[in-house]
């Protein structure tokens, strides 16, 4: 089990995200992959996402909570991004992301609360 943020640097991860509305209804799921490029206890973990082709992917920041980081099983995983896959990632991470405000007016900021999934994920069953 990971205990230090620095242990995630330069590691490949597969990130499962489930989005929910304020009533708890699932809005969507996505699966991303990338390499950890920076860590900060307050700002979070910065992952450079894999992209199709030669171009460099965008940076994606997740919370610095390590309770949902698990050693990934060996294998090839296809992500939500067409043509992007990862083979034998180091870690599998899962988060539930909930809307935290109802009745958002147009142009108003939407807020999300991240909840780590601390049970080891089941893959391929």
């Amino acid at each position: 089990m990971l205990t230090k943020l620095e242990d995630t640097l330069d590691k490949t991860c597969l990130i499962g995200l489930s989005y929910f509305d304020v009533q708890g209804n699932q809005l969507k799921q996505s699966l991303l992959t990338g390499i950890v490029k920076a860590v900060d206890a307050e700002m979070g973990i910065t992952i450079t996402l894999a992209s199709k082709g030669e171009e460099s992917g965008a940076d994606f920041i997740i919370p610095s909570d390590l309770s949902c980081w698990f050693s990934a099983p060996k294998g090839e995983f296809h992500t939500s991004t067409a043509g992007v896959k990862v083979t034998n990632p180091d870690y599998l991470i899962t988060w539930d992301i909930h809307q935290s405000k109802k009745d958002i007016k147009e142009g108003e900021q939407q807020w999300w609360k991240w909840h780590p999934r601390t049970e080891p994920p089941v893959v391929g069953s």
Side-chain angles (χ1 to χ4, degrees):
M1 175 178 231
L2 285 169
T3 57
K4 296 187 305 187
L5 285 175
E6 294 77 20
D7 292 342
T8 66
L9 284 170
D10 298 318
K11 301 296 183 187
T12 303
C13 49
L14 187 63
I15 311 157
L17 305 172
S18 297
Y19 294 85
F20 299 88
D21 65 16
V22 292
Q23 291 83 25
N25 300 309
Q26 188 170 28
L27 299 171
K28 72 174 188 172
Q29 287 185 309
S30 61
L31 193 58
L32 309 171
T33 188
I35 298 174
V36 177
K37 290 299 175 191
V39 296
D40 182 281
E42 287 185 38
M43 295 301 295
I45 298 170
T46 302
I47 299 165
T48 299
L49 297 176
S51 61
K52 190 174 179 182
E54 297 294 319
E55 70 225 34
S56 178
D59 284 344
F60 186 72
I61 300 173
I62 62 173
S64 57
D65 185 336
L66 297 177
S67 67
C68 58
W69 285 64
F70 297 94
S71 293
K74 299 292 183 207
E76 183 175 272
F77 300 89
H78 294 266
T79 69
S80 300
T81 305
V84 175
K85 61 185 175 182
V86 61
T87 302
N88 300 331
D90 296 303
Y91 292 100
L92 179 55
I93 309 159
T94 52
W95 286 93
D96 288 340
I97 306 166
H98 294 264
Q99 285 180 331
S100 59
K101 189 173 180 184
K102 190 176 178 180
D103 300 325
I104 303 299
K105 294 172 182 57
E106 188 171 335
E108 189 176 28
Q109 177 70 41
Q110 174 60 267
W111 294 97
W112 300 88
K113 183 155 177 74
W114 290 59
H115 299 277
R117 285 196 186 176
T118 56
E119 292 293 317
V122 178
V123 178
S125 321

